Amino acid sequence: MDRIRIVGGAKLHGTIPVSGAKNAALPLMIASLLTPETLTLENVPRLSDVRMLKRILGNHGVDITVAGKRLGDREDDGETVKLTAGSIVDTVAPYELVSQMRASFWVVAPLLARMGEAKVSLPGGCAIGTRPVDLLLMALEKLGAEIEIEGGYVLARAPKGLKGGEIDFAKVTVGGTHTALMAAVLAHGTSIIRNAAREPEVGDLARCLVKMGAKISGIDTSVLEVTGVGSLKGAHHRVLPDRIEAGTYAFATAMAGGDVTLTDVQPHLLQSALDRLSDAGATVTTTENSIRVSRNGNGLAAVNIETEAFPGFPTDLQAQFMALMTKAQGTSRITETIFENRFMHVSELARFGAKIRLDGDTAIVEGMPVLKGAPVMATDLRASVSLVIAALAAEGETMINRVYHLDRGFEQLESKLQRCGAEVERIRG
Ligand code: UD1
């Protein structure tokens, strides 16, 4: 298993191009199941989750080609992926595949909408709480699906097709909103989705569906109205930049010190995170498509955060912000309101000498002047990158084990940091 070795202390200077968003690429790829025509996606990040989803979609009969690099393309330019679901050869998504990545459960909606049936294993994914799918199934039932659960599989049927309905989410759910959208676009009649997630990745999916011929209004708001159409066509779409990757490198720069410009990014998609970073004392300036973060000399101030659905502080940046606060001056309170049990990084951060106490859904972080490098273990996707952030500012060497979690969500992490002067290397094995 690969490991990552980091020697802390180097300041970061340079430019980091931000990749396409994993959390947008996955539902966009799944949307290819809705049409027999070709969906071309640009700026798809090269990540293990994307590779896994290609296998899952291939199993359903989606023909996938990846366009080669053109002369002059940068090393870190994303892939162009063409997906053609000419005919769906299998409406079963098996346990072996779905258990490795939760988002693959979302295939249930397009399979059901297009084929009238789907059999999809209950999901796995990051161990950050129980993460049920009750709201996703409720949404499908509201559109007329019959749902049964048998032997760890969800059997969804709508032999006469789905019909428009009203879906009122009791809780904001990104996966639930993706599911409702992908089901409603091919349903007979009009659907209303209330308390829809406003995360930018939901908007990105909706915009791509509109290019494919779907009728959706209220995009980026919490009420979506979808009028079903008989069929969808192919389209061309560029995946939105990864706001979580951008926020991660912004925090890393504040932690290590230095001056880094993030490019190919949409700063307004992570405004709440950038605001908290400024509160902590980093200098943050933005243009329409770049973010510059610097911290020279001064220490960081302790700042409290509470995770919230968009546009609030994202849960996917909570672990990284906690890493930053381990060296701040004073005590910060970090409250997680989206997922239970999303504090697995606390015990690993303690290995650097961080002082963190848990009180229910809140972590109380007492900033320390010095962190010390240590052997640590990646436990889930975002938790693992919080260890990278701590290691960049820790004295001495850190060895991060189980980095396959990082490879699920961060494209070329080592080279992006190396080019800014960090001492980071991957040890294959
Ligand atoms: C997506 C993101 C993930 C992010 C999360 C919240 C992807 C691939 N993953 O995950 O990175 O952390 O949004 O922004 O895009 N819930 C239920 N019942 C359900 C569905 C969800 O109770 O049927 C709960 C969850 O347990 C959680 C909350 O709702 O407490 C939000 O989950 P949700 O927004 O659905 O997360 P995901 O779509 O799985």
Side-chain angles (χ1 to χ4, degrees):
M1 263 192 280
D2 289 4
R3 291 175 297 162
I4 288 182
R5 177 177 169 272
I6 299 179
V7 179
K11 290 196 185 321
L12 303 181
H13 284 277
T15 299
I16 299 181
V18 172
S19 297
K22 169 183 87 79
N23 285 358
L26 299 179
L28 287 166
M29 290 169 70
I30 290 173
S32 70
L33 289 166
L34 288 164
T35 173
E37 296 182 18
T38 301
L39 176 64
T40 304
L41 298 176
E42 282 177 25
N43 200 31
V44 176
R46 280 161 295 176
L47 298 169
S48 62
D49 269 10
V50 167
R51 284 191 290 275
M52 172 59 70
L53 185 57
K54 284 182 190 159
R55 277 184 59 199
I56 292 169
L57 294 175
N59 212 44
H60 295 301
V62 183
D63 191 32
I64 301 173
T65 56
V66 177
K69 289 236 158 291
R70 290 168 305 237
L71 201 66
D73 275 357
R74 286 186 323 226
E75 182 197 342
D76 35 55
D77 274 337
E79 291 178 338
T80 298
V81 180
K82 289 177 185 284
L83 306 105
T84 314
S87 56
I88 306 275
V89 297
D90 195 346
T91 54
V92 180
Y95 171 77
E96 300 74 55
L97 297 176
V98 181
S99 57
Q100 306 206 25
M101 184 179 49
R102 180 179 162 84
S104 56
F105 182 78
W106 302 340
V107 298
V108 69
L111 289 175
L112 179 65
R114 184 161 156 203
M115 306 300 290
E117 59 168 42
K119 179 177 174 184
V120 180
S121 169
L122 286 163
C126 279
I128 52 171
T130 47
R131 299 184 88 176
V133 290
D134 55 323
L135 299 173
L136 283 69
L137 301 182
M138 176 279 287
L140 297 176
E141 280 177 333
K142 293 282 182 193
L143 301 182
E146 291 159 21
I147 307 278
E148 277 174 69
I149 299 194
E150 208 179 275
Y153 278 78
V154 170
L155 309 174
R157 284 191 202 91
K160 294 190 192 124
L162 294 168
K163 54 181 181 6
E166 300 216 353
I167 300 166
D168 217 326
F169 285 115
K171 204 177 201 182
V172 175
T173 156
V174 171
T177 311
H178 286 322
T179 303
L181 267 175
M182 286 193 272
V185 286
L186 288 181
H188 304 287
T190 298
S191 302
I192 308 279
I193 306 169
R194 293 203 178 82
N195 201 21
R198 285 181 289 157
E199 268 62 10
E201 296 75 20
V202 172
D204 207 33
L205 172 67
R207 284 187 184 85
C208 179
L209 290 170
V210 167
K211 288 182 194 165
M212 293 165 74
K215 293 198 172 129
I216 305 172
S217 62
I219 296 177
D220 292 333
T221 75
S222 56
V223 182
L224 298 167
E225 187 174 318
V226 185
T227 302
V229 294
S231 63
L232 292 176
K233 53 187 190 325
H236 214 103
H237 187 79
R238 184 175 172 83
V239 178
L240 173 97
D242 197 321
R243 63 195 167 103
I244 303 302
E245 190 199 22
T248 299
Y249 290 123
F251 295 174
T253 307
M255 184 69 160
D259 188 342
V260 169
T261 300
L262 306 168
T263 58
D264 308 334
V265 68
Q266 293 181 21
H268 67 281
L269 302 183
L270 65 153
Q271 198 55 55
S272 60
L274 296 179
D275 289 346
R276 297 292 81 75
L277 189 57
S278 302
D279 293 345
T283 306
V284 181
T285 48
T286 59
T287 68
E288 204 183 317
N289 55 8
S290 74
I291 301 171
R292 182 174 170 192
V293 179
S294 61
R295 182 176 72 78
N296 293 312
N298 301 332
L300 289 166
V303 171
N304 299 335
I305 59 154
E306 182 165 320
T307 62
E308 282 172 292
F310 190 83
F313 191 99
T315 174
D316 285 350
L317 283 173
Q318 179 257 106
Q320 298 89 314
F321 198 80
M322 191 184 299
L324 188 63
M325 289 296 102
T326 60
K327 273 198 79 178
Q329 286 153 10
T331 301
S332 52
R333 295 174 64 84
I334 296 184
T335 304
E336 173 60 52
T337 71
I338 309 290
F339 291 107
E340 78 238 42
N341 193 24
R342 201 175 203 182
F343 282 134
M344 267 122 48
H345 40 288
V346 167
S347 53
E348 293 305 300
L349 287 171
R351 298 172 67 81
F352 293 93
K355 268 198 162 173
I356 308 169
R357 181 163 61 79
L358 285 180
D359 179 10
D361 63 0
T362 299
I364 298 145
V365 186
E366 204 183 304
M368 305 293 288
V370 177
L371 297 181
K372 294 221 156 85
V376 291
M377 195 170 74
T379 51
D380 71 56
L381 173 52
R382 311 302 177 187
S384 28
V385 85
S386 76
L387 306 177
V388 172
I389 292 179
L392 289 172
E395 282 181 357
E397 179 184 294
T398 293
M399 191 68 84
I400 304 179
N401 296 290
R402 297 204 183 167
V403 298
Y404 53 83
H405 287 292
L406 276 174
D407 296 334
R408 289 186 47 211
F410 290 89
E411 185 177 23
Q412 299 187 325
L413 175 105
E414 308 94 88
S415 68
K416 286 186 181 186
L417 287 171
Q418 275 160 5
R419 275 182 276 160
C420 289
E423 206 178 325
V424 183
E425 64 170 331
R426 179 176 291 250
I427 300 169
R428 307 251 170 217

